[in-house]
Amino acid sequence: MHHKIFDVVIVGAGISGSFLAKELCQAGLSVLCLEAGKNFNRHNYPKKEIDANSQLYWGGGIELNTTADIGILRPKVVGGGSVVNQALLDRFDDIALDSWKNKSKIDWMSTTQMEPWYKSALEEVKVEEIPTEFRNGNADIFIKGFEANGFKCAPLKRAQNNCAYEKGSDCIECLSGCIRDSKQSMGVTVLPKALNSGLELVSEFEAEKIEKVSGHIRVHGTDKFGDKRIFRSKKLVLAAGAIGNSKLLLQSQFKNNNIGKGFYTHPQFMSLGLYEHEIHSEKGPFQAMKSDDPDFRVRSFKLENVFGPPVAVGMLLPGIASKHLSYMKRITHMACVEVAIRDQNPGTISLARNGRLKIVKTLDERDQTTFNNGLSAIHDIFNSTGVKEIVDGNFKIGLHLMGGLAIGKDSNSSVVNENFSLHEDPDIFAADSSIFPDAPGINPSLTIMALAKKAASSIKESIL
Ligand SMILES: Cc1cc2nc3c(=O)[nH]c(=O)nc-3n(C[C@H](O)[C@H](O)[C@H](O)COP(=O)(O)OP(=O)(O)OC[C@H]3O[C@@H](n4cnc5c(N)ncnc54)[C@H](O)[C@@H]3O)c2cc1C
């Protein structure tokens, strides 16, 4: 057992954990952050796509729901999702926050009351739009297709600081960690500030169980040498993401029946358009535009201007052997648009009898209809821009993992209360993607940062 009793132990050094670590350390608290993943930096991120998948994600790259039709991408690295994500930052709108307020009955869930927290979060990261002159061939197709169909699109806002496009930088590389520290991941933004203010960070430590003994919280787990260790604290912050938090509480036999329920993923589906001429979606900034169409928002889907590196694209393409190869040979001729839906049908995270994770997540009729509407808009975009063939991807991906510890006033329908502590234990807090009461249909990171800022003030109040 570690000798020291920390004021706060944080499990997970992803977006929420890192933001909270910075706020709590700067308030003078002694804080330890435990992270299951490795601590990479721009000099040693895995270079090959296959190595990056296996070293930066749980499950060797991908996990699956029980019906094996949604590939779940769950980051496992110091910095969490901020290392591998596309760094798109958006505020939630009235549609998202009204729905949260309605479910949780919490009054501060409104665009006005969240604004100071969004503002404070945005002071920690630099945000840029991709300059028009550097938009790539994939963005051109996206914009032309939107214009031709009367859909509205807009430039994306990315947490980045000088990607050096003028030097020919192909930013698709940043999906495996940004080699130029342009992407505003936690390791280049809030974590250094936390470490300078005394944060102790232990990477490659997986927390497996939490318990309360003599008024203190004990976190049990295994370190990188396979040794069992125990850390103690007065307060605990769960920042292990939707799946990580649910798993830890279930393993620790917490009683609230809502743990693991209300799991959402914004299921996404990539479609490829094959063109006669070269598009070179892999060159330059790979994601410059998003749909900004009020009608899409009301119909609960959005379209994004994405692409993937070769292994990812290969997984989306049909056929084996020569058929598959004939598609891969045309990779430079492919444009790609993705539909992401605001899923209505919640899934569940539970433990199977052998203790392994069990993720049940399906699309019901409403979700399937939303999906089909988005897909049909993508086909319209490709067909109006001279596509030769459309290949709809093989399966869906879930990478906005949300819920499992829903926030709300009523302990009969939620896990976390409005002050971010568990209904079941006032010394255990959570403010990350796990507390989302439903799927907002908007990129979650900026709101996770804002919620961490707000939660830090609650946690400080409970200690100081
Ligand atoms: C490929 C990809 C692209 C994305 N693009 C965007 C985007 O453009 N914009 C956007 O807003 N969102 C995006 N997201 C989603 C976004 O990154 C996540 O919503 C966000 O990172 C969640 O933050 P979090 O703090 O809840 O969890 P995370 O950032 O996932 O951090 C959780 C951390 O906890 C650690 N952990 C889990 N269990 C344990 C344990 N038992 N012990 C110790 N540590 C543990 C994990 O290893 C992880 O590092 C993307 C995600 C992916 C995968």
Side-chain angles (χ1 to χ4, degrees), residues 11-17 34-37 57-58 73-82 84-90 175 205-208 239-245 247-248 251 287 304 398-402 431-434 442-446 448:
V11 178
I15 293 181
S16 179
L34 302 168
E35 165 57 50
Y57 285 98
W58 289 83
L73 299 185
R74 180 160 67 112
K76 182 183 183 184
V77 55
V78 170
S82 72
V84 294
N85 73 15
Q86 281 105 312
L88 312 174
L89 296 187
D90 291 303
L175 288 177
F205 176 91
E206 182 173 348
E208 287 151 355
I243 295 176
N245 283 352
K247 187 172 179 232
L248 192 52
Q251 278 172 181
Q287 199 174 4
E304 281 184 0
L399 42 76
H400 295 169
L401 311 175
M402 304 164 290
D432 66 0
S433 51
S434 68
I442 296 176
N443 284 304
S445 297
L446 180 60
I448 294 167

Side-chain angles (χ1 to χ4, degrees), residues 250-438:
L250 290 169
Q251 278 172 181
S252 308
Q253 297 182 342
F254 275 67
K255 301 266 176 303
N256 188 316
N257 285 330
N258 300 302
I259 296 168
K261 298 207 174 124
F263 177 60
Y264 299 88
T265 71
H266 288 162
Q268 311 188 353
F269 190 82
M270 289 157 82
S271 261
L272 299 157
L274 278 84
Y275 289 78
E276 191 93 356
H277 61 286
E278 290 205 302
I279 307 288
H280 282 302
S281 297
E282 79 288 357
K283 294 254 173 241
F286 84 104
Q287 199 174 4
M289 304 297 292
K290 64 171 178 179
S291 61
D292 191 26
D293 198 295
D295 182 49
F296 290 1
R297 180 71 180 132
V298 170
R299 291 159 79 205
S300 295
F301 69 86
K302 61 176 182 158
L303 303 186
E304 281 184 0
N305 175 216
V306 294
F307 203 60
V311 173
V313 172
M315 284 172 71
L316 298 172
L317 292 171
I320 53 167
S322 57
K323 185 172 178 206
H324 192 81
L325 186 63
S326 79
Y327 278 115
M328 283 308 280
K329 279 186 173 163
R330 287 179 283 163
I331 194 166
T332 55
H333 291 251
M334 290 175 190
C336 181
V337 182
E338 164 192 279
V339 51
I341 66 161
R342 181 178 182 217
D343 41 337
Q344 307 284 314
N345 191 36
T348 55
I349 301 159
S350 62
L351 298 178
R353 264 191 289 175
N354 61 6
R356 295 185 68 168
L357 261 179
K358 183 175 165 195
I359 299 170
V360 177
K361 175 73 190 160
T362 52
L363 268 57
D364 65 5
E365 218 178 298
R366 284 168 306 176
D367 288 339
Q368 196 55 55
T369 305
T370 307
F371 226 93
N372 295 341
N373 290 338
L375 203 56
S376 139
I378 295 178
H379 283 221
D380 289 344
I381 289 165
F382 285 148
N383 284 324
S384 60
T385 47
V387 77
K388 289 284 160 237
E389 184 181 347
I390 298 175
V391 178
D392 292 326
N394 269 333
F395 59 92
K396 301 175 190 76
I397 300 164
L399 42 76
H400 295 169
L401 311 175
M402 304 164 290
L405 269 65
I407 191 169
K409 278 199 165 163
D410 183 357
S411 60
N412 292 316
S413 56
S414 60
V415 180
V416 168
N417 67 29
E418 61 184 318
N419 298 318
F420 300 95
S421 64
L422 299 190
H423 290 298
E424 209 172 328
D425 190 324
D427 294 325
I428 303 179
F429 295 81
D432 66 0
S433 51
S434 68
I435 71 165
F436 283 25
D438 66 15

